[in-house]
Amino acid sequence: MSLTIYPAIDMRGGKCVRLLQGDYDQETIYGDSPFDMAKSFAADGSEWIHMVDLDGAKDGKRVNDRFVIEAAQKLNVNIQIGGGIRSEEDILHYLKNGVNRVIIGSIAVSNPEFAIDMIKKYGAKIAVGIDAKNGYVATHGWLDTSELKAVDLGKRFADAGAETFIFTDIATDGTLAGPNIAAVCEMAEVTGKNVIASGGVSSLADLQAIASEGIQGAIVGKALYENRFTLKEALKVGGSR
């Protein structure tokens, strides 16, 4: 089973940034144009790009959506987007404009009935983003931590028909300290579905370790921006065409 590589573009204030462990006060800017970054990833052969509207996640509404739609409409690459998606209108706004997959996160915790309805209505076009801090679900741009265990939430949505989960371990995100593979594997085992690992990837060896566990995908962000390896090298590990 090949590992799909998802290069990440996190957007804040119209720029490409990375946060350390989700902390909005620990931001590094890596580019002035999300579209140009997406274009370079597509040119390197990536089949997917993972985009996050950090302003949207924090404010609870779409903020950087124009960059996402520009990439979806102008580039020959699949786009998945998360951050600030709180309604069916938000979902349709992206899907009608060429985005391939919409990630629902905070709303899945605050309104699981809505999330289940969207999963049943839009199927594989919906991914459930589960962000965990010490095993518990974090929401609203990781500013809040719930009393809900991440694996319990995953099982609930898997039972409802969700096919794709994006699991982020906040403790590792943006740290280049290595992914929490055990937690990712637990989510995959509990849900029995496709799980995309997010957070902590620092080397090609990390990607090889994720692939060896049969995990479906891996999101790579800071390691690319810090030149730990190239996207083309990562795609070779993943076995992408």
Side-chain angles (χ1 to χ4, degrees):
M1 181 177 176
S2 63
L3 177 73
T4 302
I5 304 298
Y6 295 79
I9 299 175
D10 290 3
M11 301 167 291
R12 189 180 184 202
K15 297 182 184 297
C16 304
V17 307
R18 296 299 292 175
L19 306 182
L20 180 63
Q21 297 178 321
D23 187 345
Y24 282 73
D25 293 325
Q26 298 192 64
E27 173 190 272
T28 303
I29 297 173
Y30 287 102
D32 292 327
S33 171
F35 176 76
D36 287 348
M37 191 69 72
K39 187 176 180 180
S40 71
F41 289 155
D44 280 345
S46 190
E47 297 177 3
W48 281 89
I49 297 175
H50 173 79
M51 302 184 79
V52 179
D53 184 353
L54 290 174
D55 294 310
K58 191 173 183 180
D59 297 345
K61 61 181 180 181
R62 302 188 308 267
V63 178
N64 293 288
D65 51 316
R66 65 188 182 278
F67 305 113
V68 182
I69 290 169
E70 183 182 16
Q73 294 182 341
K74 293 182 179 180
L75 301 175
N76 185 27
V77 66
N78 297 301
I79 302 288
Q80 66 179 20
I81 174 65
I85 296 156
R86 301 287 190 270
S87 67
E88 185 171 9
E89 179 187 356
D90 292 330
I91 293 169
L92 286 173
H93 176 70
Y94 285 119
L95 294 182
K96 287 181 176 180
N97 283 291
V99 173
N100 302 87
R101 187 187 290 153
V102 176
I103 305 161
I104 52 176
S106 296
I107 192 69
V109 180
S110 61
N111 190 349
E113 292 78 15
F114 167 79
I116 289 170
D117 186 39
M118 293 300 98
I119 290 165
K120 291 181 176 178
K121 196 167 185 178
Y122 297 104
K125 296 285 186 180
I126 300 292
V128 178
I130 299 181
D131 305 329
K133 184 179 288 186
N134 299 320
Y136 289 87
V137 175
T139 61
H140 301 98
W142 301 348
L143 299 175
D144 303 318
T145 304
S146 72
E147 297 181 356
L148 181 64
K149 284 190 175 181
V151 290
D152 291 341
L153 184 68
K155 181 149 193 338
R156 178 173 185 179
F157 289 124
D159 290 345
E163 291 295 331
T164 301
F165 293 85
I166 297 166
F167 178 75
T168 304
D169 178 41
I170 296 172
T172 65
D173 192 73
T175 66
L176 296 174
N180 187 341
I181 294 178
V184 177
C185 289
E186 183 183 16
M187 182 63 69
E189 182 178 356
V190 168
T191 61
K193 304 294 185 178
N194 293 328
V195 175
I196 300 170
S198 174
V201 171
S202 64
S203 65
L204 295 175
D206 287 337
L207 293 177
Q208 290 164 346
I210 293 171
S212 70
E213 295 290 346
I215 301 300
Q216 188 268 334
I219 292 170
V220 184
K222 192 172 183 178
L224 290 177
Y225 295 111
E226 295 284 346
N227 299 312
R228 296 297 183 94
F229 51 80
T230 67
L231 178 56
K232 287 182 179 180
E233 289 171 334
L235 293 172
K236 287 181 181 178
V237 171
S240 297
R241 294 183 300 277

